[in-house]
Amino acid sequence: MPSCKDFLRELTDYLDSCLDPETKKELDKHVEECPTCWVILDTTKKTLKIYKGCAPKAVPAALEDKLMAAVQAKMAERKCGQ
Amino acid sequence: MTSTEPPTDEHLVELAKTGDNGAFPELVKRYSRRILRVARNITNNDEDSEDVLQETFMKAYTHLDGFQGNSRFYTWLVRIAMNESLMKLRKRKTGRVVSLDEELSTGEDTITREIAVWEGNPEDRYSQEELRELLDTTIASLPEGFRTVFVLRDVEELSTEETADMLGLSIPAVKSRLLRARLQLREKLTRVFKQKGDDAFAFL
């Protein structure tokens, strides 16, 4: 029977579904019976979910204009060099 | 063109290589937000991240012919942005050298102290803007060795292998740092999102 320490050690592979079926089954059972590990698993899942679900901020207009101008200049430079 | 599907990255890269004027700017528009986020998350500095954004696309354009399509175009861009960001970080850190081993050796970060359920879904309780601000500040508080791994794996969603390759780490090292990064972030976010004034196990 895995301990809480075993569960924590395997948490990343558990979340990424990289465990062999037997280890996964044992850890599933541990989580069902251990409220502390259940909370850690649940809140870690939520942590990852909000990071993955958070769209990146728009590039500020002035910065985007500067970037596009630099890209255009670079492209023109290359064309002239050909 | 009869298709209404947006062109794939690979198609745009091929067009850009043959001198098409619109293809590369389209790729820049497609990925500039995400590259700026990588740069911001790694450098923790607005000025540096703006420089990294520009340098990443300049280098990508210069070396476009060398991009053979062995990886996704976005992964290739992130690799350039990560290298540029780490260089910026090294420059700023010259006065204060902390070795990575020293930074990662305490082991205390796998100890979990905050064991509490969260009050509902943060997505329902906070605006995107508020959440983004909070998530960025929380990532910024991680040591560099954890931050880089977390950003590549869990924010930009690269594979463990791609992350290991990009940072010159072994796969077990990536997994170990990722675990510690995830637990530290969980701990920090729990302090903000936990049910207030309740016993941690009130849900039982």
Side-chain angles (χ1 to χ4, degrees):
Chain A
M1 187 64 191
S3 65
C4 296
K5 223 172 170 179
D6 295 331
F7 179 76
L8 269 190
R9 198 171 41 231
E10 301 291 350
L11 181 62
T12 272
D13 279 345
Y14 184 90
L15 288 165
D16 296 341
S17 309
C18 301
L19 289 173
D20 62 86
E22 200 177 316
T23 312
K24 169 147 189 336
K25 211 169 143 190
E26 280 182 359
L27 295 178
D28 282 342
K29 193 163 184 299
H30 176 82
V31 173
E32 268 174 41
E33 291 168 0
C34 173
T36 304
C37 286
W38 185 88
V39 171
I40 292 173
L41 176 65
D42 181 64
T43 49
T44 309
K45 273 186 186 166
K46 285 179 175 161
T47 297
L48 299 188
K49 186 166 159 269
I50 54 173
Y51 270 104
K52 287 180 205 283
C54 192
K57 197 159 60 175
V59 178
L63 179 60
E64 189 162 34
D65 290 349
K66 196 175 139 208
L67 174 64
M68 282 317 212
V71 166
Q72 296 293 352
K74 191 86 182 168
M75 287 170 61
E77 188 187 300
R78 191 178 174 193
K79 287 221 162 118
C80 291
Q82 274 175 353
Chain B
M1 288 228 292
T2 52
S3 169
T4 51
E5 293 279 310
T8 62
D9 290 356
E10 291 70 27
H11 185 55
L12 288 172
V13 168
E14 285 314 310
L15 284 175
K17 281 184 184 178
T18 58
D20 182 282
N21 281 334
F24 193 74
E26 181 58 34
L27 287 165
V28 176
K29 275 188 209 141
R30 200 171 272 187
Y31 292 119
S32 54
R33 286 179 179 212
R34 288 171 68 184
I35 292 300
L36 184 61
R37 175 172 67 181
V38 172
R40 185 74 188 76
N41 279 335
I42 301 301
T43 64
N44 284 337
N45 179 287
D46 284 337
E47 195 187 320
D48 283 351
S49 56
E50 290 177 9
D51 287 350
V52 167
L53 173 70
Q54 186 156 324
E55 282 157 21
T56 298
F57 285 108
M58 294 294 107
K59 285 209 166 153
Y61 187 74
T62 305
H63 298 287
L64 203 57
D65 286 334
F67 173 68
Q68 300 297 338
N70 297 328
S71 61
R72 285 179 300 154
F73 177 70
Y74 181 63
T75 308
W76 185 68
L77 271 186
V78 170
R79 179 187 289 274
I80 302 174
M82 181 58 84
N83 287 340
E84 294 293 319
S85 300
L86 290 174
M87 273 197 289
K88 291 279 183 199
L89 214 52
R90 303 281 175 271
K91 272 188 198 159
R92 286 204 182 261
K93 269 192 177 170
T94 46
R96 187 188 140 266
V97 181
V98 178
S99 87
L100 201 54
D101 288 342
E102 191 185 319
E103 196 179 43
L104 302 181
S105 68
T106 62
E108 282 184 13
D109 39 73
T110 47
I111 299 168
T112 46
R113 297 178 191 85
E114 288 283 358
I115 311 293
V117 287
W118 288 6
E119 173 99 51
N121 280 324
E123 293 95 326
D124 301 334
R125 298 173 51 222
Y126 295 84
S127 71
Q128 269 273 318
E129 196 50 48
E130 287 169 324
L131 269 184
R132 200 187 285 126
E133 180 95 33
L134 176 68
L135 297 182
D136 286 350
T137 315
T138 315
I139 283 197
S141 70
L142 290 180
E144 180 196 320
F146 295 169
R147 205 164 71 231
T148 45
V149 169
F150 183 81
V151 165
L152 293 179
R153 283 285 288 112
D154 284 337
V155 183
E156 302 311 322
E157 305 196 52
L158 268 54
S159 69
T160 304
E161 290 73 17
E162 285 169 335
T163 305
D165 183 44
M166 212 173 275
L167 297 174
L169 294 170
S170 67
I171 292 204
V174 169
K175 287 188 175 184
S176 146
R177 288 185 193 188
L178 184 62
L179 171 65
R180 292 155 86 178
R182 286 172 169 179
L183 288 176
Q184 282 197 16
L185 292 173
R186 185 211 74 87
E187 185 97 8
K188 288 167 198 275
L189 292 183
T190 295
R191 284 180 210 142
V192 180
F193 296 141
K194 70 181 171 185
Q195 285 184 354
K196 305 287 188 299
D198 284 340
D199 175 69
F201 293 110
F203 66 98
L204 284 177

